[in-house]
Amino acid sequence: MARCILDKEKDPLGTMLSDFCCGDSGAFLNVWSSTLEMSTMQGTTMLRGFERMNDVEKCALAACRGRILDVGAGAGCHSLVLQSRGLDVDAIDISPGCVEVMRRRGVEKSYHRNILDLRNSRYDTVLMLMNGIGISGSLDGLNLFIQHLDTLLAPNGQLLADSTDLTGKFLKKGEAVYDEEGGYCGEIDFVMIYKGLRSDPFSWLYVDFELLHTICSFHGFRCDKLIETEEKHFLARVYHSIECG
Ligand code: SAH
């Protein structure tokens, strides 16, 4: 899990989004991965409006309430929808380019922050979307992040976060869910490249719901699945076991 904020020279995503906002409508970056196929991230996708969002995102936006923290907000597409509904949203991202783009697009409260640096802010909803649990990077990182939630959630607060269960995909290829060193199949390393700018390698976690549920229970949280697609992309709601009356 990233423990700091990024410098401009290590920010291909933010730079690509800035270029897109400045009129380069074809801007995209390449994403290299240790196990998945090479892919791209398009400016048009990152700046999607509500009508282009998928059912998982729409379900998450409908479940948002109270004071909201959008973690890893990117270009601010979810923050903008929530803001337009009159909700109070803080948007944070480690990418300076993303924060600049959010400000330009009208996200009123956007900050250049790492989620691990926020403490005692007390939100009713912490939102993490686009396989947002991935920010935790690994199962160790997820344990750390779920503990950190205690310092972020108001009484009766909730985390709404999505992920994709890759275990079936690995089993289908005859590969193990845990490798010989105990590494989980959903811990995937990536590098992003845009016009000669290269990110440091970072890991992203894709977790199956059962494992997420077990980790949440271990730390005293409940975890419900709100929606799941045929591709095993799901939205989870995580909240304190004892709800305050
Ligand atoms: N939620 C957005 C963007 C997803 S991309 C959307 O759905 O469009 C993931 C974002 O998380 C990136 O912009 C990345 O810079 C940010 N990020 C990664 N680690 C982070 C951390 N520890 N704290 C805050 N933001 C982080």
Side-chain angles (χ1 to χ4, degrees), residues 1-4 6 13 41 45-46 48 57 70-75 77-78 92-95 98 113-116 128-130 135 204:
M1 181 170 193
R3 286 173 184 271
C4 51
L6 301 178
L13 174 61
M41 255 172 136
T45 308
M46 298 305 292
R48 64 203 177 280
E57 296 174 286
D70 185 359
V71 181
C77 55
H78 303 113
I92 60 165
D93 206 290
I94 55 171
S95 148
C98 284
R113 295 264 201 302
N114 188 309
I115 181 63
L116 291 179
M128 297 167 88
L129 289 179
M130 208 171 185
I135 281 181
W204 204 256

Side-chain angles (χ1 to χ4, degrees), residues 1 15 25 27 35 39 47 63 74 103-104 108 111 126 131 156 161 177 191-192 197 210:
M1 181 170 193
T15 310
S25 58
T35 21
S39 61
L47 272 77
R103 290 187 181 148
R104 236 190 286 163
E108 283 159 19
Y111 307 101
V126 173
N131 285 304
N156 296 336
V177 170
V191 172
M192 294 192 292
L197 269 187
E210 304 313 321

